[in-house]
Amino acid sequence: MNNLRKIIFTFAAILALYGCANMGQPDGGWFDETPPHVVTCIPADQSTGVNAQKITIYFDEYIKLDNPSEKVVVSPPQLETPEIKGAGNRIIVELSDSLKPNTTYTIDFSDAISDNNESNPLGNYTYSFSTGQEIDTLQVAGYVLEAENLEPIKGILVGLYANLADSAFTTEPMLRVSRTDSRGRFNIKGVAPGEYRIYALQDADNNYQFSQQSEKLAFSHDIIIPSSKPDVRQDTIWRDSLHIDDITRVGYTHFLPDDIVLRAFTEIQTSRFLLKQERSIPEQMTFFFTYGNPQLPEIHGVNFDETDALLLETNALQDTLTYWLRDTTLVNRDTLNITYSYLYTDTLGALQSKTDTLEILSKIPYAKRLKDQEKEREKWEKEQEKAKKRGKSYLEEMPPKPLDVSVLMPQDMYPDAYVNFNFATPIAIADTSKIRLSARNDTIWEPRPFLLEDRPTYMGIPNCQAIRSYRLSHASEDGLWEMNTEYRLELDSAAFVDIYGHASLATGKIMRVKADNDYTTITFNVITTDTIPYVGQLLDKSEKVIRQAVAFDGVLRFEYVKPGQYYLRLCADANGNGQWDTGRYDDDLQAEMVYYYPELIECKAKWPLQLSWNPTSVFLARQKPTAITKQKPDKEKKIKNQNAERARKLGIIYVPNNRY
């Protein structure tokens, strides 16, 4: 009887297990989580005495090769683009350049290789060989950052020169190269013992040397001496994507240096020539140059008299010059013929005078403008006729087109800010008698004095005013708006009139300056041995500049800061012009240094912050907070652990290679 019970119980257990197995069996079996492995290479990896220009790498399964033109880097650099392709279970590389004697070649595949079915990545795989009897194995690593904002630069070329002369970067190709990843990280492999100079280059013409002024570059005077040492690191062994199996200490070869930082910049374009000219609206002619010059061009009319007919406006860089036509008869003329004399850079790099005879055509012909005006008049007359029939107010004459005024006046005004006026056309009259500023005192609006001024000339150049903008400030002794006060700004009709007689309409705006207790103050004690001034910029989460201040005697003070979260950028203003300046290679001039306070700054009202900071205390490549870094690291290709996820859903304990 007992034996019968045991048999029945065993049979039931088998049925239960069989049922569970059927219910939980994964369709199609377990996923392949093994990355492809190299089976053999022809020539063999790490071979010496190689003279073959075709390399074939075989794998134990079918593979995919992702974007080899960008991800695969051959070093020394190849002036003729090598052919790199994946086919079934192999990769074929054909080098077009002749092989150099006694040279180590490396082919760095980065993360371009994965298996064909599950996309399991092989990882950072590098193949190497030597045409001599020895193979070089040293490595040099570091980061390339934008000099202006410390953004990591992805995909820029980084190269070594054994020729230590400054001229090598502009006269011969790089010796050994690599490209940066999404973190701005580079690793140059297959380096021989010796001394090197290092450069970064956005190589527009693929000649592996700095040959165009528009190419972004970075350079360093440090002499790079590659070396290696035995070292130990901790390796984490994962059971699956959630569980650590073990942490072990593993010996490895540590290659140095591995912390180089290159700050890349683009030079100011100094080769001057006329890019284009256009007349996008009838009232103006605009000329675009590659580079500005204080000596302004001379313009003479061929089919009109230019005397007192033109009003010049230029931007701060003086590379965009706009000539406004004062006379409406010229505005209505479709074609203007001129002679234009200006400075340009000749083939030897020297500035020379040049005169062009140009025909400037209006993009909007006069006939079309008349037709559009007639349509507007017909539409207006119909509207007035309808109003008349309905007994509503109407006009006998069509009013002139008003002057649009853009009043930049935030509702919450900083105590030291300006009210800005911007216009589409140059202003001839700014009548302060038709502008009123008042402040609320209980229920009464009391008049307040103000100062209205046009913008100062750019760099002191005559006739180069910002002729389409004005700014208004409180005329108090300290120039500040009164705290905890509401202001009203009113413009009467024709407060502003442009050079064509268009007058502004009556308008009004209200703003408020908060109380002193609604702000806070941030003070940084900048710890540095430099005697140069520093410009500090308080940034929001989109890296927009909220407040700016100059450090005096190492003290950087931001006043009237609204409560919130901020970041800090600091520029070493070596030339004292109050802004960041780029570098120039021929003059051995680096871009001005920029630093980021590495932590988030949180401000509360009525709680002044006082912080001390040494800008060099944190490694430059790790200073910029991740929250405002726009160049995010690419997601690493990882084995998906699909089996672990499937086992979790089935309630099965998953151990790799032993799934039950």
Coordinates of all heavy atoms in Angstrom, one line a residue, residues 421 431-438 447-453 471-476 481 489-491:
F421 N 14.2 99.1 -26.9 CA 13.3 99.3 -28.1 C 14.1 98.9 -29.3 O 15.2 99.3 -29.6 CB 13.0 100.8 -28.2 CG 12.3 101.4 -27.0 CD1 13.1 102.0 -26.0 CD2 10.9 101.3 -26.9 CE1 12.4 102.5 -24.9 CE2 10.3 101.9 -25.7 CZ 11.1 102.5 -24.7
D431 N 11.3 111.1 -29.8 CA 10.8 112.3 -29.1 C 10.5 111.9 -27.6 O 9.5 111.3 -27.3 CB 9.5 112.8 -29.8 CG 9.1 114.1 -29.3 OD1 9.6 114.6 -28.2 OD2 8.2 114.7 -29.9
T432 N 11.4 112.3 -26.7 CA 11.3 112.0 -25.3 C 10.1 112.7 -24.7 O 9.6 112.2 -23.6 CB 12.5 112.3 -24.5 OG1 12.8 113.7 -24.7 CG2 13.7 111.4 -25.0
S433 N 9.6 113.8 -25.3 CA 8.4 114.4 -24.7 C 7.1 113.6 -24.9 O 6.1 113.9 -24.2 CB 8.2 115.8 -25.4 OG 7.8 115.7 -26.8
K434 N 7.2 112.6 -25.7 CA 6.1 111.7 -26.0 C 6.2 110.4 -25.3 O 5.5 109.4 -25.6 CB 5.8 111.5 -27.5 CG 5.4 112.8 -28.2 CD 5.2 112.6 -29.6 CE 4.8 113.9 -30.3 NZ 4.5 113.7 -31.8
I435 N 7.2 110.3 -24.4 CA 7.4 109.1 -23.6 C 7.3 109.5 -22.1 O 7.8 110.4 -21.6 CB 8.8 108.5 -23.8 CG1 9.0 108.2 -25.3 CG2 9.1 107.3 -23.0 CD1 10.4 107.8 -25.7
R436 N 6.5 108.7 -21.4 CA 6.3 109.0 -20.0 C 6.5 107.7 -19.1 O 6.1 106.6 -19.5 CB 4.8 109.4 -19.7 CG 4.5 110.8 -20.3 CD 3.1 111.2 -20.0 NE 2.1 110.3 -20.4 CZ 1.6 110.2 -21.7 NH1 2.1 111.0 -22.6 NH2 0.7 109.3 -22.0
L437 N 7.3 107.9 -18.1 CA 7.5 106.8 -17.1 C 7.0 107.2 -15.8 O 7.2 108.4 -15.3 CB 9.0 106.6 -17.0 CG 9.5 105.5 -16.0 CD1 9.1 104.1 -16.5 CD2 11.0 105.6 -15.7
S438 N 6.2 106.4 -15.1 CA 5.6 106.7 -13.8 C 5.7 105.5 -12.9 O 5.7 104.3 -13.4 CB 4.2 107.2 -14.0 OG 3.4 106.2 -14.7
P447 N 5.2 110.6 -11.7 CA 6.2 110.7 -12.8 C 7.6 110.3 -12.3 O 7.9 110.6 -11.1 CB 6.1 112.1 -13.3 CG 4.8 112.6 -12.8 CD 4.5 111.9 -11.6
R448 N 8.3 109.7 -13.1 CA 9.7 109.3 -12.8 C 10.6 109.8 -13.9 O 10.3 109.6 -15.1 CB 9.9 107.8 -12.5 CG 9.2 107.3 -11.2 CD 10.0 107.9 -10.0 NE 9.5 107.3 -8.8 CZ 8.5 107.8 -8.1 NH1 7.9 108.9 -8.5 NH2 8.1 107.2 -7.0
P449 N 11.8 110.3 -13.6 CA 12.8 110.6 -14.7 C 13.4 109.4 -15.4 O 13.5 108.3 -14.7 CB 13.8 111.4 -13.9 CG 13.8 110.9 -12.5 CD 12.4 110.5 -12.3
F450 N 13.7 109.5 -16.6 CA 14.3 108.4 -17.3 C 15.4 108.9 -18.3 O 15.4 110.2 -18.6 CB 13.3 107.6 -18.1 CG 12.6 108.4 -19.2 CD1 13.1 108.5 -20.5 CD2 11.4 109.1 -18.9 CE1 12.4 109.2 -21.4 CE2 10.7 109.8 -19.9 CZ 11.3 109.9 -21.1
L451 N 16.2 108.0 -18.8 CA 17.2 108.4 -19.7 C 17.1 107.5 -20.9 O 17.1 106.3 -20.8 CB 18.6 108.2 -19.1 CG 19.8 108.4 -20.0 CD1 19.9 109.9 -20.4 CD2 21.1 108.0 -19.3
L452 N 16.9 108.1 -22.1 CA 16.7 107.3 -23.4 C 18.0 107.6 -24.2 O 18.4 108.7 -24.4 CB 15.5 107.8 -24.1 CG 15.2 107.1 -25.5 CD1 14.8 105.7 -25.2 CD2 14.2 107.8 -26.3
E453 N 18.6 106.5 -24.6 CA 19.9 106.6 -25.4 C 19.9 105.6 -26.5 O 19.4 104.5 -26.4 CB 21.1 106.5 -24.5 CG 21.1 105.2 -23.7 CD 22.3 105.1 -22.7 OE1 23.3 105.8 -23.0 OE2 22.2 104.3 -21.8
R471 N 17.6 102.3 -25.8 CA 17.4 101.7 -24.5 C 17.0 102.8 -23.5 O 17.5 103.9 -23.6 CB 18.6 100.9 -24.0 CG 19.8 101.7 -23.7 CD 21.0 100.8 -23.4 NE 22.2 101.5 -23.0 CZ 23.4 100.9 -22.8 NH1 23.5 99.6 -22.9 NH2 24.4 101.7 -22.4
L472 N 16.2 102.4 -22.5 CA 15.7 103.4 -21.5 C 16.1 102.9 -20.1 O 15.9 101.7 -19.8 CB 14.2 103.5 -21.7 CG 13.5 104.5 -20.7 CD1 12.3 105.2 -21.5 CD2 12.9 103.8 -19.5
S473 N 16.6 103.8 -19.3 CA 16.9 103.4 -17.9 C 16.4 104.4 -17.0 O 16.0 105.6 -17.4 CB 18.4 103.3 -17.8 OG 19.0 104.6 -18.1
H474 N 16.3 104.1 -15.7 CA 15.8 105.0 -14.7 C 16.9 106.0 -14.4 O 18.1 105.7 -14.2 CB 15.5 104.2 -13.4 CG 14.7 105.0 -12.4 ND1 15.3 106.0 -11.6 CD2 13.4 104.9 -12.0 CE1 14.4 106.5 -10.8 NE2 13.2 105.8 -11.0
A475 N 16.5 107.3 -14.4 CA 17.5 108.4 -14.2 C 17.8 108.6 -12.7 O 17.7 109.8 -12.3 CB 17.0 109.6 -14.9
S476 N 18.0 107.6 -11.9 CA 18.4 107.8 -10.5 C 19.9 107.9 -10.4 O 20.6 107.7 -11.3 CB 17.9 106.6 -9.7 OG 18.4 105.4 -10.2
W481 N 16.5 100.8 -10.8 CA 15.1 100.9 -10.6 C 14.8 100.8 -9.1 O 15.5 100.1 -8.4 CB 14.3 99.9 -11.4 CG 14.5 99.9 -12.9 CD1 15.4 99.2 -13.6 CD2 13.8 100.7 -13.8 NE1 15.3 99.5 -14.9 CE2 14.4 100.5 -15.1 CE3 12.8 101.7 -13.7 CZ2 13.9 101.1 -16.2 CZ3 12.3 102.3 -14.9 CH2 12.9 102.0 -16.1
L489 N 5.1 102.4 -18.4 CA 5.7 103.1 -19.5 C 4.7 103.4 -20.6 O 4.0 102.5 -21.0 CB 6.9 102.3 -20.1 CG 7.6 102.9 -21.2 CD1 8.4 104.1 -20.8 CD2 8.6 101.8 -21.8
E490 N 4.6 104.6 -21.0 CA 3.6 105.0 -22.0 C 4.2 105.7 -23.1 O 5.1 106.6 -22.9 CB 2.5 106.0 -21.4 CG 1.7 105.3 -20.3 CD 0.8 106.3 -19.6 OE1 1.3 107.1 -18.8 OE2 -0.4 106.2 -19.8
L491 N 3.9 105.4 -24.4 CA 4.4 106.0 -25.6 C 3.2 106.7 -26.3 O 2.2 106.0 -26.6 CB 5.0 105.0 -26.5 CG 6.2 104.1 -26.0 CD1 6.7 103.2 -27.1 CD2 7.3 105.0 -25.4

